[in-house]
Structure formats: C-alpha cells, structure tokens
Amino acid sequence: MVETSKSLSAVEAVFVGDGSLAIQCLDAFVAAGGSAVALITKDETLAAQAVERGVRVIAKGASLNEDLSELAFDYLFSIANLDMLPEAMIASARKMAVNFHDGPLPRYAGLNATSWAILNGETSHGVTWHEMTAKADGGGIVAA
C-alpha cells in the first residue's frame, strides 16, 4: 500500500504520463510531502511544467531505461500513459509501480473504459489504481 501523507516526506517517486492528469497527480504528491524525482513524458507542455517545478524531465524514447537506471525512487506512477512500460522499468521502483486506470477493474480493463461504460448505460463509474505487471491491467488493486 502507498504511504499515507503523514509519511510521504521520505518517499520518492517517478511519474510517467502524457496528459494533464499526470502533472496534477505529481503536484498532489509533492503537496502531500513526497518528492518527485522525475517526469517521463513525450508531451512538451507537461515537460515545461515539470521544469518550472524543478522536476527532472526524461523524454520517452530509446534511452529511457538508461536514463531511468541513474535514478533511485520508491514508486513509479503511470498516469494518463498509454504506452506499455518495460518490465525492467516497472521493477526499478523500490516499493511498487502503480498505474492509474480510468475505469473499475476488472470489469473495464483495456482502453476506452469510460466510453464502454457510457455505451453500456452504466449509472456509476470509477477509477482504479493498480500494481503494474508485465500484463496490462493485470496487477493487484491498490485503490478503487
């Protein structure tokens, strides 16, 4: 389980994402006392926002594993990220790699979960934070 805000002062995390939700979660983590070690993104706007916050930016690309190997961190958070992450990257988190999924698992695994819920006439919807594994949406649920 991810630490509570009372103990975040010594917790370091790397964030991966290409949407505004990634930087919003990074901000919430830092506001709770955590330390954002880096943001991995291909989105130039998010990269500029991270630099403004003093957070290292690593571009998604061929040298990603090499760039990440230089860092030490407790958690890897994948948020608004549609790219499968390499197993070595997932394993590099000292405590856990966690993915934000925009639907309730396991019912709405995969892409377009919100659209499928609307098409199915759902009257409620949720999100799931789950442990990342080599299989998409296959890890244990951390919070729903």
Side-chain angles (χ1 to χ4, degrees):
M1 198 75 173
V2 177
E3 282 90 356
T4 64
S5 60
K6 291 182 181 179
S7 62
L8 282 182
S9 63
V11 179
E12 298 172 312
V14 168
F15 292 78
V16 182
D18 298 313
S20 62
L21 185 58
I23 200 83
Q24 291 171 14
C25 289
L26 182 150
D27 286 343
F29 182 79
V30 170
S35 175
V37 174
L39 172 67
I40 299 169
T41 189
K42 59 185 171 190
D43 184 300
E44 293 179 16
T45 301
L46 292 185
Q49 291 173 352
V51 168
E52 289 172 4
R53 289 159 173 77
V55 176
R56 179 179 176 177
V57 174
I58 300 174
K60 287 184 179 178
S63 66
L64 181 57
N65 282 337
E66 183 179 314
D67 292 337
L68 199 59
S69 69
E70 303 169 5
L71 304 177
F73 54 95
D74 301 303
Y75 292 95
L76 175 68
F77 291 109
S78 176
I79 304 160
N81 171 52
L82 297 179
D83 299 313
M84 288 296 295
L85 302 179
E87 285 185 61
M89 183 179 190
I90 293 169
S92 63
R94 289 186 292 233
K95 294 187 179 181
M96 185 182 291
V98 180
N99 182 61
F100 169 87
H101 180 73
D102 63 345
L105 291 174
R107 181 171 180 165
Y108 284 106
L111 296 176
N112 306 312
T114 305
S115 297
W116 284 113
I118 292 168
L119 289 171
N120 288 334
E122 302 289 355
T123 58
S124 64
H125 193 66
V127 301
T128 307
W129 292 88
H130 68 90
E131 187 172 6
M132 281 191 282
T133 64
K135 179 183 175 204
D137 298 334
I141 293 175
V142 176

